[in-house]
Amino acid sequence: MAPSGTRRSSYSRRAQYNLFTGYIIAGIGALIGAVLLGLSFFQPSFFGGPRSAAQDAVSPASETAATVRTSSKSLWDSISGYYRAGSKNAELKREMELARIRLEEAEAVRQENVRLKGLLDLQDQERTPVAVARLIGSTASSTRRFAYVGAGEDDGVEVGMPVRSPRGVVGRILETGSDSSRVLLLTDSESVLPVRRAGDEVVAFAEGRGDSLLRIKLINLGINPLEVGDLFVTSGAGGYYPPGIAVAIVTELTDDGGVARIVSDPAATDFVAIEPIFEPDAASGATTPVEEELTD
């Protein structure tokens, strides 16, 4: 039997009702949207209440997200701060040590000025460096302790001139070339420097040991007055170095003095200042043999 070419009337009527209902709903939605759009243009405050209600509804979730974000940031800052604490502590330690050295130097200079002005009525004279140069090398394997600076005779550098860094004494010029010079470091076994304890008149000699330490030998033997942590500065004797420049800090006591570490480590020094000899006549006399001096 052939299928009927027409659908049942009840089925066609249901489809027509569904289609008609869809059109009506779409029209009503479009009309409501147009009304709301018009109100948003002409009455913006009309939607303040619904917006506030919506904001209040999502506020707890927003606060939770903000709290999580802030907590995670604080945790990350704590972790990164923990890993940076070591370098910061080391930097602060270096700054405190430098400040302590500067304070001791200032006290030594003040006492030196009071003594000299009281006796000789001397006035301060500004010392201008002959040259400022970079430490370009040092002896790594030799038993002697030398360094090299990038300034020489063409820059006005002469043998015997003191070399210092912002922290203190490094050494003095031993040999000069046209563009470079060799420096005898304080730690060299042939280096002997007259020093005194900052703050009083305890005088001594700082002798190099061939390593990174100095041997402090007191001139007046007896009860050792030194203490660990004492800062020694140049005394001005010998004529090479001006008084009051930081030299070394005592780390260990001995029968006739102590062992001290140098304040200005050449390995940690980049640029140095080469200064004129403090008292050229005294420095020249110190290097002149006694026989020749008596003959003259």
Side-chain angles (χ1 to χ4, degrees):
M1 179 176 180
S4 174
T6 60
R7 296 172 179 252
R8 290 183 300 174
S9 59
S10 60
Y11 177 82
S12 299
R13 192 177 300 113
R14 187 184 302 113
Q16 291 175 1
Y17 288 158
N18 291 339
L19 183 62
F20 180 71
T21 303
Y23 286 149
I24 291 176
I25 293 174
I28 293 173
L31 181 60
I32 293 174
V35 172
L36 295 177
L37 181 61
L39 289 175
S40 65
F41 280 113
F42 296 102
Q43 295 291 335
S45 61
F46 180 79
F47 295 98
R51 280 197 301 267
S52 300
Q55 181 64 33
D56 293 340
V58 300
S59 179
S62 301
E63 291 180 359
T64 303
T67 301
V68 172
R69 182 173 62 252
T70 303
S71 301
S72 61
K73 183 178 180 181
S74 300
L75 178 61
W76 174 254
D77 291 341
S78 300
I79 295 175
S80 59
Y82 174 79
Y83 284 103
R84 291 197 302 265
S87 60
K88 288 184 177 180
N89 289 339
E91 183 178 356
L92 290 175
K93 184 178 180 181
R94 288 192 298 268
E95 292 179 357
M96 290 181 62
E97 183 178 0
L98 185 59
R100 179 176 179 271
I101 292 170
R102 285 289 173 266
L103 183 61
E104 296 286 354
E105 282 187 344
E107 179 62 21
V109 171
R110 187 190 67 81
Q111 293 186 1
E112 185 75 17
N113 289 341
V114 170
R115 182 170 61 255
L116 293 179
K117 289 179 180 179
L119 294 175
L120 304 176
D121 194 23
L122 293 178
Q123 301 296 325
D124 292 330
Q125 296 181 354
E126 183 180 358
R127 296 178 56 83
T128 302
V130 174
V132 176
R134 184 190 297 271
L135 281 177
I136 57 177
S138 61
T139 54
S141 58
S142 174
T143 56
R144 302 296 302 274
R145 291 295 178 263
F146 301 120
Y148 301 89
V149 295
E153 295 177 352
D154 294 344
D155 302 294
V157 179
E158 298 178 0
V159 174
M161 288 185 171
V163 179
R164 61 174 298 181
S165 72
R167 297 176 65 90
V169 177
V170 174
R172 59 185 175 90
I173 299 296
L174 186 64
E175 295 177 354
T176 60
S178 299
D179 301 317
S180 62
S181 302
R182 186 163 65 156
V183 180
L184 178 68
L185 299 178
L186 291 182
T187 53
D188 185 78
S189 58
E190 297 296 325
S191 174
V192 179
L193 176 64
V195 295
R196 65 180 177 86
R197 185 167 63 177
D200 56 24
E201 299 299 326
V202 176
V203 292
F205 287 104
E207 301 178 350
R209 303 200 322 172
D211 53 12
S212 60
L213 300 176
L214 300 178
R215 183 182 298 106
I216 304 296
K217 298 188 67 175
L218 296 173
I219 296 179
N220 299 321
L221 298 180
I223 299 176
N224 190 346
L226 303 185
E227 296 179 358
V228 174
D230 286 345
L231 174 67
F232 276 83
V233 299
T234 54
S235 64
Y240 287 103
Y241 303 91
I245 304 177
V247 176
I249 298 176
V250 176
T251 59
E252 180 183 347
L253 299 181
T254 60
D255 294 336
D256 59 349
V259 176
R261 61 179 179 86
I262 58 175
V263 169
S264 181
D265 187 0
T269 302
D270 191 8
F271 286 93
V272 295
I274 304 172
E275 298 181 346
I277 298 176
F278 179 61
E279 292 289 347
D281 294 339
S284 176
T287 57
T288 303
V290 177
E291 296 80 3
E292 181 179 343
E293 187 69 23
L294 293 176
T295 301
D296 295 340

